[in-house]
Amino acid sequence: MRCHSENGDGSCNMGYPIHHTKVKAFSLAEVMVALAILAMISSSALVVISRFAASAANSVLQMQAFEVARENMEKLLTSDSVKEMVEYGNREEYPGIMWQTVVETFYEPITARMWIRGVCSAQYKDTEGQEQTVELIHWLTDLTKEQMLQMMRQAEGEDQLADQLIETIEEAAQYAGVDIETIEQWVENGMLTAEDGSFIKRNLDLYGQNNGQPSDEDKERQVTSKAELTAQQGRPSAEKAADTGRWQDEVDPKTGLTYGELEKMDFSEIWDILKNRQR
């Protein structure tokens, strides 16, 4: 047996050899690569989480817009009657969503019939700021030719009623040929306005013809609504009964043809005329 060391007295001291080992550490390059891989994994996870959150937010906005459009469509379907119109606004509970309800007529060429359809839509901006729209369309009912002509005559009457209204006091003064102070005096003297504050030409004419001092009987002839305007613009019932068929000789302003001529046409011909007039 080999003696690794000897004592001073010559005896042998048995022992094991000591080996000095070196532990190899990570190099700087390896650490940098590991950090880069960790950063890539973390950034990918953050992107996935961000997209998931944006998708969830967009889904909530889409459901809210669908709810608004659906409720407007339900109101339309439960109405006793409908007419061509365009309404729009927003909801207090969803201020970021704008809604619009459109009732319109259109010609369906396959069956050669006229229809009324309702279009209820709701618009919102998604998380990326892009405009998104939820739209519901429902065919409400079909129209006979007589019903379509009646709607055209009704629209003409509404246009005539709208011509009777003046929105501002400046325009009312210009129409009556007086100054604004005179209009204010007429109002203080009992001249009535429409529910929305508009001035009515018939009432302005009444006060203008009487120098701002109409009698009590004349004041009772004033109107404040479209219904009263319609009643006063309408003819006596006896006269209406005598002229029942004369409406056919009246000219429709949208087509330039008489209602009698329109009554003899097909749906497709009337629709083509209306489209050409709108261009």
Side-chain angles (χ1 to χ4, degrees), residues 32 51 56 84 86 90 97 102-103 143 161 193 203 220 259 270:
M32 295 298 293
R51 289 182 178 177
E84 287 186 294
V86 177
N90 57 0
I97 297 177
V102 178
V103 178
L143 287 175
L161 292 178
T193 60
N203 297 349
E220 292 179 356
Y259 290 111
I270 298 175

Side-chain angles (χ1 to χ4, degrees), residues 185-238:
Q185 292 175 1
W186 289 359
V187 173
E188 293 177 358
N189 193 27
M191 187 180 72
L192 301 178
T193 60
E195 296 177 354
D196 59 356
S198 301
F199 295 90
I200 302 173
K201 291 181 179 180
R202 185 177 294 272
N203 297 349
L204 290 169
D205 293 339
L206 180 65
Y207 272 73
Q209 294 168 1
N210 292 277
N211 296 323
Q213 299 294 332
S215 63
D216 293 338
E217 183 180 353
D218 289 335
K219 289 182 180 180
E220 292 179 356
R221 292 165 46 200
Q222 295 185 88
V223 294
T224 58
S225 65
K226 289 185 177 181
E228 294 177 354
L229 277 171
T230 304
Q232 288 202 8
Q233 287 183 345
R235 295 171 296 180
S237 57

Side-chain angles (χ1 to χ4, degrees), residues 8 12 20 32 39 48 77 121 157 184 188 243 249 251:
C12 182
H20 297 282
M32 295 298 293
V48 172
L77 294 176
S121 60
E184 293 175 345
E188 293 177 358
D243 296 340
D249 297 329
V251 177

Side-chain angles (χ1 to χ4, degrees), residues 15-275:
Y16 296 96
I18 299 175
H19 299 282
H20 297 282
T21 59
K22 294 182 179 180
V23 179
K24 187 177 180 181
F26 291 105
S27 65
L28 179 60
E30 291 173 332
V31 173
M32 295 298 293
V33 171
L35 290 176
I37 295 174
L38 180 61
M40 292 175 60
I41 296 174
S42 300
S43 62
S44 300
L46 290 175
V47 169
V48 172
I49 294 173
S50 177
R51 289 182 178 177
F52 178 79
S55 177
N58 288 333
S59 297
V60 172
L61 290 172
Q62 187 179 30
M63 290 300 297
Q64 291 175 349
F66 177 79
E67 179 183 350
V68 172
R70 178 180 57 81
E71 290 182 359
N72 289 340
M73 181 62 74
E74 288 178 352
K75 291 179 182 178
L76 199 60
L77 294 176
T78 55
S79 300
D80 295 332
S81 61
V82 294
K83 64 178 181 179
E84 287 186 294
M85 66 173 186
V86 177
E87 294 181 348
Y88 54 89
N90 57 0
R91 298 277 292 275
E92 293 182 358
E93 59 267 37
Y94 306 133
I97 297 177
M98 297 294 297
W99 60 265
Q100 179 175 277
T101 298
V102 178
V103 178
E104 59 185 2
T105 58
F106 71 100
Y107 176 69
E108 199 281 301
I110 297 178
T111 59
R113 297 165 68 184
M114 291 290 295
W115 287 82
I116 293 181
R117 67 181 173 189
V119 182
C120 297
S121 60
Q123 292 183 340
Y124 65 94
K125 287 187 177 182
D126 59 17
T127 54
E128 296 180 356
Q130 300 293 326
E131 289 281 352
Q132 302 293 337
T133 302
V134 175
E135 187 176 79
L136 302 178
I137 301 176
H138 190 86
W139 291 21
L140 302 175
T141 183
D142 59 335
L143 287 175
T144 63
K145 186 164 61 177
E146 290 74 15
Q147 289 174 328
M148 186 181 67
L149 294 176
Q150 183 180 0
M151 290 180 61
M152 294 170 65
R153 293 196 298 272
Q154 182 180 358
E156 179 186 0
E158 291 180 353
D159 292 340
Q160 293 176 352
L161 292 178
D163 292 339
Q164 280 285 323
L165 301 179
I166 300 177
E167 294 184 357
T168 65
I169 190 172
E170 292 81 7
E171 294 174 342
Q174 183 178 2
Y175 170 80
V178 296
D179 53 24
I180 296 177
E181 289 75 12
T182 301
I183 298 295
E184 293 175 345
Q185 292 175 1
W186 289 359
V187 173
E188 293 177 358
N189 193 27
M191 187 180 72
L192 301 178
T193 60
E195 296 177 354
D196 59 356
S198 301
F199 295 90
I200 302 173
K201 291 181 179 180
R202 185 177 294 272
N203 297 349
L204 290 169
D205 293 339
L206 180 65
Y207 272 73
Q209 294 168 1
N210 292 277
N211 296 323
Q213 299 294 332
S215 63
D216 293 338
E217 183 180 353
D218 289 335
K219 289 182 180 180
E220 292 179 356
R221 292 165 46 200
Q222 295 185 88
V223 294
T224 58
S225 65
K226 289 185 177 181
E228 294 177 354
L229 277 171
T230 304
Q232 288 202 8
Q233 287 183 345
R235 295 171 296 180
S237 57
E239 184 181 352
K240 286 184 179 180
D243 296 340
T244 302
R246 291 187 182 178
W247 67 269
Q248 294 185 349
D249 297 329
E250 296 179 2
V251 177
D252 173 55
K254 292 184 178 180
T255 60
L257 302 174
T258 64
Y259 290 111
E261 293 173 333
L262 292 173
E263 192 176 28
K264 298 177 182 178
M265 293 182 177
D266 295 332
F267 271 133
S268 58
E269 295 175 329
I270 298 175
W271 184 250
D272 290 338
I273 293 174
L274 291 175
K275 287 195 299 183

